[in-house]
Amino acid sequence: LYNLGGVGYDQIRKIDFRYEVGPGLGYHFLTFTNFIMDLEAGINYQAQYRSDNTSNEKFYYRLAELITWKFNKRLTFTQKAEYFPQVEEVSQYRARIEANLSYGIWGTISLNVSLLDLYDTQPPSGVPKNDLQIRSSLGFTF
């Protein structure tokens, strides 16, 4: 059982402010020593206030899965996919797929490489429906 919440903005996708909140259920579908797969389902309320003076406030279903695979003590792969079909019109949806590779370089410090794909059937005007991002970061675990 969970309650998901998030707040943020995205200048590239012309979102001045966004938030989401919603309950759901999760299940550890597969659990092995070095591999875990979780499945989740819920309902979300998502709001976006955009720089083109439009807004989008809707209820969405949420279907998600999360995989964590520890190859060894230092190298971990995580992958998460989320699908948000609109409650009122399921042909309108948002999707998010993220893959991360994390390598522990020293103690609690890791080097991370991420691939993120965001898709929205109703983006702000002038913004493509698909947004593919590649990121690298330095992580600190505490």
Side-chain angles (χ1 to χ4, degrees):
L1 190 63
Y2 69 85
N3 188 29
L4 176 72
V7 174
Y9 72 96
D10 188 334
Q11 287 182 321
I12 294 170
R13 297 195 60 78
K14 298 181 181 178
I15 301 169
D16 290 338
F17 179 69
R18 68 161 195 86
Y19 68 91
E20 64 180 306
V21 64
L25 276 170
Y27 180 72
H28 294 298
F29 185 68
L30 295 173
T31 304
F32 299 109
T33 305
N34 64 337
F35 184 89
I36 297 171
M37 180 181 192
D38 296 333
L39 300 176
E40 301 173 0
I43 294 182
N44 273 34
Y45 176 77
Q46 296 181 1
Q48 288 185 354
Y49 302 96
R50 301 166 171 176
S51 60
D52 65 356
N53 294 321
T54 63
S55 65
N56 189 354
E57 300 176 40
K58 304 277 184 184
F59 282 94
Y60 293 85
Y61 299 112
R62 179 177 181 271
L63 302 171
E65 60 84 19
L66 172 64
I67 292 173
T68 302
W69 190 355
K70 293 185 182 242
F71 295 110
N72 57 43
K73 189 176 179 179
R74 292 185 158 194
L75 188 62
T76 302
F77 172 77
T78 57
Q79 181 271 325
K80 184 175 192 173
E82 298 174 291
Y83 175 61
F84 298 94
Q86 209 178 90
V87 170
E88 299 86 6
E89 189 176 343
V90 293
S91 64
Q92 303 298 320
Y93 64 91
R94 294 183 183 151
R96 175 186 169 102
I97 300 171
E98 184 172 0
N100 300 295
L101 195 57
S102 177
Y103 183 77
I105 55 176
W106 183 64
T108 60
I109 301 172
S110 62
L111 180 61
N112 308 304
V113 177
S114 302
L115 181 66
L116 174 65
D117 190 20
L118 303 170
Y119 187 85
D120 188 345
T121 57
Q122 296 178 314
S125 62
V127 175
K129 291 182 178 185
N130 197 56
D131 181 17
L132 182 63
Q133 302 173 16
I134 299 173
R135 299 181 286 184
S136 62
S137 62
L138 201 55
F140 299 93
T141 304
F142 51 93

